[in-house]
Amino acid sequence: MNCRKSATLAHDGVRLVGFVGRLDNAGILAATLDQSPDADPAAIVAAAHQRWSDQAPEQLLGDFAYTVWDGDNRRLYLARDVGGWQILYYLRQSDRVFFADSLPVLLALAPDARRLDPKVLADVLVDGLPPVDLTVWRDVRAVAPASIARFARGHGDTRRYWQLPQTSIRYARDEDYVDAARALLDDAVRCRLPKQSPVGIALSGGLDSAGMAAYAAAAAPGAALFGFTGVPAPGAVLPHTAHQYNDETPYVRSLCEQLPSLKLMRASSAPDAEDHINAAIIQLGGMPLNNSLNAAWLSPAYAAAGLHGVHSMLTGGFGNITLSYDGATLLPALLDQARLIRFAAEFAALARRSTHSYRAIASSSIANSRYFSRYRKKRHDPSSWFVQLLGRAFLSDGFAEASGWLRYRLDSDAPIPAGSADHRAWHIARSQRQRHLHGPLQRYWRVEFSQPLADRRLIEFCMATPPEQFLRNGEARYLARRVLSDRLPAAIVQNRLRGRQCPEAVQRVVAQLPRLQAELDVHAASPLVRHCLDVAKVRAQLARVSDATPDEIGRVQHLHRALQHARFLDYLDRLGATL
């Protein structure tokens, strides 16, 4: 086991380095840079900058953020890893640069930086998250994932040091893709295992997290292995859909039967847990949770980790984009290439196996085709996606207009979830935006989360792997099923349904309706809340929640998010924020 997660400082006489995170190739770098084999990551980064200057982060593998002050050249460098799992904020004031891995800490260092950016604030209130490199504070920036920021003599710029691969891997045999993925996955799990403490897994019944448990059990056969799973509350009224299930228990129990070292910890959350966690994250991270209902549903399981000595937990995060990608780009690609016979055969096979309808599969294929998306744009307003988002939001008309959010999003290069030949770009961008909340959630639960499926080497491999390796003869997630077939129970490998987080969301919100209405009245006393939100619209929809069915989870979660936004705006107001 080779986990090198740490927060360290180093000074080599010229460079002062602060490092937080984990270096996966620390041994190789130490040998290359003539460092001691047990050198800490900050010392390795100092030597890397001495050798490669601002090209250094390209040589590093792992989840990290670091700062380097080069005393000879009077230059400051701030860098983040490719996945962006470690956040790093900064603020420039004349000839000074403040930086921290926490928004509240940074604002405490520069208490006069209280001006809000209306476009980014609107982005949070409409889409739930800020961009990867911005914050709601006008003068505060975040170093973007896979980027390095450089400052010298009053000037600064940023450079992206890594891009998604644009080439394809072509192996002679299908088995070669499986062998390569298994080797990468084994290495990605091993380098993230703690040296001494028990291994924790954020466990569901899906391929990704179950695969992490199986590979961890194989890599550390003598270690204690705990799986933490959220389950519905007893007696909860749950929704019913053809392609989702509400309780992971049957799948995780079958996994425990195959992995004797795996101990299962199931827990359901308290009725008002989402209220507590969102209030805490606003204080810890300076922003609201995008979906506090889901976070609260998992919270008791994660909070129990410390009781069992678990301080580091593996998750299956990023799996849907990498190893267990469903191959959704194959059908649009076949359309674009006019390979209509192959398209028809694959479409028919997928429709037979999938829980989705023929019409839904056809619609998705056409929407993600380059040819058809261009045709649709000639007939339809390309802003329809953003107009739809704005229409569902709870922004006041005045703030929506004054913020300029719609024009700001139309002018951005950010991908949208339809009309793109590879919608993984949208999922990657969305996932990176969520990194703003990664650190605060870890501090709240007092456990570090690590995502082997977001390993840079695995990302590069999976993004360069041909789409037919992910979808073949109607079998979605074809690569993951082959890679994990020798490690997981058949019930998990063959499962084509998706687990649902917080399936009792409607029942939870309805039960708390009087308290939520009273809290909205309290927050509505804030001038900033009244300026940014259409409070009357929130009240009207909240009054109709009692009629929601268990299947209307999306509507209820969206409304609950608006209530948490009211709390967040009230927090900003009390902090002295100004637009």
Side-chain angles (χ1 to χ4, degrees):
M1 292 178 281
N2 189 33
C3 185
R4 299 292 295 273
K5 187 91 171 182
S6 60
T8 59
L9 290 171
H11 188 256
D12 64 1
V14 175
R15 282 157 290 273
L16 177 62
V17 178
F19 178 96
V20 61
R22 189 193 67 254
L23 279 183
D24 295 338
N25 59 338
I28 295 173
L29 286 171
T32 302
L33 299 168
D34 298 323
Q35 296 289 302
S36 166
D38 58 353
D40 66 47
I44 292 174
V45 169
H49 266 261
Q50 181 182 14
R51 173 80 61 90
W52 297 301
S53 186
D54 62 352
Q55 310 295 314
E58 300 170 29
Q59 311 298 323
L60 310 181
L61 295 176
D63 303 340
F64 58 82
Y66 70 77
T67 67
V68 176
W69 169 248
D70 186 330
D72 280 354
N73 298 305
R74 301 196 62 77
R75 287 180 177 271
L76 175 68
Y77 301 98
L78 309 176
R80 282 177 74 191
D81 63 85
V82 165
W85 296 101
Q86 300 294 329
I87 196 77
L88 193 55
Y89 298 106
Y90 65 92
L91 167 66
R92 292 178 60 190
Q93 287 186 343
S94 62
D95 61 344
R96 296 182 299 174
V97 179
F98 299 90
F99 54 86
D101 64 352
S102 162
L103 269 178
V105 169
L106 186 60
L107 292 172
L109 294 172
D112 54 335
R114 291 291 188 270
R115 293 186 305 161
L116 295 168
D117 185 325
K119 296 187 295 296
V120 179
L121 180 59
D123 219 14
V124 171
L125 301 179
V126 173
D127 205 15
L129 294 162
V132 293
D133 58 344
L134 299 175
T135 73
V136 297
W137 303 101
R138 187 175 304 183
D139 300 321
V140 178
R141 298 288 186 268
V143 180
S147 298
I148 183 168
R150 303 169 292 191
F151 306 93
R153 299 174 177 85
H155 300 284
D157 66 359
T158 60
R159 179 181 68 86
R160 188 171 177 86
Y161 65 80
W162 180 88
Q163 302 286 344
L164 288 171
Q166 301 299 314
T167 58
S168 294
I169 297 172
R170 293 290 176 181
Y171 291 142
R173 306 177 309 144
D174 281 352
E175 292 80 3
D176 293 337
Y177 295 97
V178 174
D179 292 342
R182 283 175 171 166
L184 289 169
L185 183 57
D186 185 64
D187 196 32
V189 171
R190 284 180 184 275
C191 69
R192 286 166 172 80
L193 293 178
K195 289 183 177 180
Q196 296 177 339
S197 62
V199 180
I201 311 287
L203 191 59
S204 72
L207 282 169
D208 299 324
S209 65
M212 298 306 96
Y215 269 77
L225 188 63
F226 292 91
F228 299 93
T229 301
V231 296
V237 179
L238 305 175
H240 298 280
T241 56
H243 55 276
Q244 289 181 298
Y245 57 91
N246 299 311
D247 193 344
E248 314 276 4
T249 301
Y251 297 102
V252 296
R253 281 184 174 161
S254 70
L255 181 64
C256 290
E257 291 173 2
Q258 186 155 324
L259 303 177
S261 63
L262 178 62
K263 300 178 178 63
L264 179 60
M265 302 292 153
R266 301 165 63 249
S268 55
S269 58
D272 60 349
E274 59 273 3
D275 192 62
H276 181 272
I277 190 172
N278 197 66
I281 295 304
I282 287 175
Q283 295 292 328
L284 289 170
M287 66 182 63
L289 272 173
N290 191 39
N291 195 329
S292 53
L293 285 163
N294 284 358
W297 190 64
L298 297 168
S299 191
Y302 293 167
L307 300 177
H308 299 279
V310 174
H311 306 296
S312 179
M313 193 176 299
L314 303 181
T315 84
F318 230 72
N320 289 340
I321 305 170
T322 55
L323 180 69
S324 63
Y325 177 56
D326 61 8
T329 54
L330 177 61
L331 292 180
L334 293 174
L335 282 177
D336 293 338
Q337 298 162 12
R339 298 168 62 186
L340 300 184
I341 295 177
R342 172 72 193 282
F343 171 83
E346 197 64 63
F347 173 84
L350 181 61
R352 286 193 300 270
R353 289 175 176 267
S354 175
T355 58
H356 294 282
S357 67
Y358 280 75
R359 181 174 181 178
I361 297 170
S363 176
S364 175
S365 301
I366 292 172
N368 288 285
S369 159
R370 292 184 188 274
Y371 175 81
F372 283 102
S373 65
R374 283 199 299 267
Y375 175 70
R376 289 172 66 225
K377 286 181 179 179
K378 293 178 181 178
R379 299 182 55 198
H380 301 285
D381 182 358
S383 68
S384 59
W385 167 252
F386 300 112
V387 171
Q388 180 184 359
L389 278 181
L390 189 58
R392 293 180 64 240
F394 291 90
L395 264 63
S396 68
D397 292 340
F399 180 60
E401 180 69 24
S403 69
W405 178 83
L406 185 57
R407 176 49 51 192
Y408 157 69
R409 289 304 300 266
L410 288 173
D411 291 342
S412 72
D413 294 327
I416 60 176
S420 167
D422 189 348
H423 62 267
R424 276 189 290 184
W426 180 82
H427 286 287
I428 290 171
R430 184 74 179 173
S431 179
Q432 288 179 332
R433 293 173 71 187
Q434 293 171 338
R435 303 296 187 270
H436 288 280
L437 295 167
H438 186 66
L441 284 169
Q442 289 186 127
R443 288 190 284 271
Y444 177 78
W445 283 316
R446 298 180 181 178
V447 62
E448 293 175 346
F449 292 88
S450 187
Q451 296 75 16
L453 296 175
D455 187 278
R456 172 177 164 179
R457 295 158 292 185
L458 199 59
I459 292 174
E460 292 173 343
F461 170 78
C462 291
M463 295 300 291
T465 295
E468 58 266 23
Q469 291 298 322
F470 297 98
L471 175 62
R472 179 79 60 85
N473 297 326
E475 184 72 89
R477 309 175 82 186
Y478 182 56
L479 179 63
R481 296 187 201 282
R482 290 177 292 158
V483 167
L484 299 172
S485 61
D486 64 335
R487 300 287 181 98
L488 299 180
I492 295 178
V493 174
Q494 298 170 6
N495 179 23
R496 292 176 179 82
L497 304 178
R498 291 188 180 275
R500 189 198 300 274
Q501 292 188 359
C502 196
E504 71 267 36
V506 174
Q507 183 177 356
R508 293 173 71 93
V509 173
V510 170
Q512 300 174 58
L513 193 54
R515 180 180 63 80
L516 294 174
Q517 290 171 326
E519 288 188 0
L520 177 61
D521 291 339
V522 171
H523 297 315
S526 160
L528 189 61
V529 173
R530 295 195 304 272
H531 176 70
C532 296
L533 291 185
D534 185 340
V535 177
K537 181 179 177 181
V538 179
R539 280 201 182 103
Q541 292 208 19
L542 193 58
R544 294 197 293 270
V545 161
S546 57
D547 297 329
T549 68
D551 292 326
E552 295 181 281
I553 287 181
R555 176 167 76 88
V556 170
Q557 286 179 330
H558 185 64
L559 175 60
H560 192 268
R561 184 179 302 130
L563 297 172
Q564 303 306 331
H565 288 166
R567 179 197 295 272
F568 173 59
L569 290 166
D570 194 1
Y571 159 83
L572 294 178
D573 209 353
R574 288 183 281 106
L575 210 60
T578 59
L579 279 167

